[in-house]
Amino acid sequence: MKKILVLALLFFSLDGIAQDPRLFDNDWYLSQLVIDGVIYPAPYNTEVPYVPLNIDQSYLLTYLCELSAIVGNDIQVTNELINVPEFGVFTGESCQMEENISYSNLYYNGFFEFQLPNRTYLYSILEQGDNLQLTLDNINGDKAIYGNVLLANSSFYLPHVTMFPNPVKDKLTIESQALIFSTTFYDLFGRKIMSFKNRLNEISMSHLPKGLLLIVIETEKGTVIKKIIKE
């Protein structure tokens, strides 16, 4: 606890310290929360097959249900700390199952405290065999623990969807091993920008606004949410 508070106070004097590139090079999946010493395993069910966390040089994005997310904009990252000046809320179809509603409150409010400004989190990355474990600590000493590999679960299948280039200027290519039913683009305020039915391998992006966009891809095997940077 004391270490976290001291590091938080020193955050803005550490701009020159190198960041850990593994933080940005991996997709992270929540395995558990530790709040007030109590362990809360991440939900895995038909509504929430996984809880992703994506971090890059400017943004932090995480969500439980398909169109309910929190986004940290203009984040600052050192070799040990992530500072989020302010979270935005991406609202849409929120969780319906009671267990997921309770967990989203624990995750968003209890750990991230997303309604408060200037949140700082200590992070560390450990190697576990061939895999990695990311641990975030908030200023209260609570933890969110992630892995860079989605846990195997025979009941749920994560559709393999890739898109490139990212960042994108003109044309975005989407590839999927599962049949795509629809592709919808949203801005960070949850506003629908454009939507397509059925599979489109190449989408023109030249007319879209610059910045972070969320793409919701509905497939025969489930829904995937991706983020891209439009240049």
Side-chain angles (χ1 to χ4, degrees):
M1 178 66 177
K2 182 178 179 182
K3 179 181 179 181
I4 297 172
L5 292 175
V6 171
L7 288 173
L9 292 173
L10 294 176
F11 178 85
F12 291 106
S13 67
L14 297 176
D15 291 338
I17 298 180
Q19 305 150 337
D20 189 331
R22 297 176 297 177
L23 185 67
F24 313 114
D25 294 342
N26 289 276
D27 291 326
W28 302 101
Y29 303 97
L30 182 69
S31 61
Q32 65 183 36
L33 295 174
V34 183
I35 308 292
D36 294 329
V38 179
I39 297 175
Y40 298 90
Y44 290 95
N45 50 59
T46 54
E47 190 176 52
V48 182
Y50 55 95
V51 181
L53 171 71
N54 300 119
I55 303 174
D56 64 22
Q57 300 283 349
S58 302
Y59 302 97
L60 180 154
L61 167 68
T62 189
Y63 60 88
L64 265 79
C65 296
E66 291 181 4
L67 294 181
S68 176
I70 57 173
V71 182
N73 297 309
D74 300 320
I75 68 173
Q76 295 173 291
V77 183
T78 71
N79 67 328
E80 290 186 311
L81 294 171
I82 301 171
N83 178 262
V84 182
E86 186 176 13
F87 280 103
V89 180
F90 183 83
T91 58
E93 298 178 12
S94 59
C95 299
Q96 301 299 315
M97 297 173 63
E98 185 63 34
E99 63 180 292
N100 296 332
I101 294 173
S102 298
Y103 204 92
S104 64
N105 181 63
L106 190 70
Y107 189 48
Y108 294 157
N109 294 290
F111 179 74
F112 280 106
E113 299 180 312
F114 78 99
Q115 294 179 333
L116 301 176
N118 200 35
R119 298 290 87 193
T120 298
Y121 310 95
L122 177 73
Y123 76 89
S124 60
I125 299 176
L126 298 177
E127 294 186 5
Q128 295 187 324
D130 295 331
N131 302 327
L132 299 174
Q133 176 182 291
L134 168 67
T135 300
L136 300 183
D137 293 79
N138 65 17
I139 61 174
N140 302 314
D142 301 323
K143 299 179 183 294
I145 301 173
Y146 304 82
N148 67 329
V149 176
L150 187 66
L151 297 177
N153 191 320
S154 59
S155 300
F156 311 111
Y157 173 76
L158 177 65
H160 182 65
V161 177
T162 58
M163 54 184 61
F164 56 89
N166 190 9
V168 59
K169 288 184 178 180
D170 299 317
K171 293 186 180 296
L172 179 70
T173 299
I174 300 177
E175 295 181 350
S176 172
Q177 294 179 350
L179 178 64
I180 294 177
F181 295 140
S182 67
T183 304
T184 306
F185 291 73
Y186 296 86
D187 65 17
L188 290 183
F189 300 99
R191 296 177 298 208
K192 184 186 295 187
I193 299 175
M194 63 180 181
S195 183
F196 304 96
K197 296 294 184 181
N198 301 320
R199 180 174 187 145
L200 286 179
N201 294 100
E202 193 172 76
I203 298 175
S204 175
M205 303 286 290
S206 58
H207 63 291
L208 295 185
K210 295 181 179 180
L212 179 68
L213 300 176
L214 300 185
I215 305 177
V216 179
I217 304 171
E218 296 184 13
T219 80
E220 62 181 336
K221 297 296 185 178
T223 300
V224 176
I225 299 180
K226 295 281 190 177
K227 67 170 184 174
I228 62 165
I229 304 296
K230 171 62 171 60
E231 292 185 334

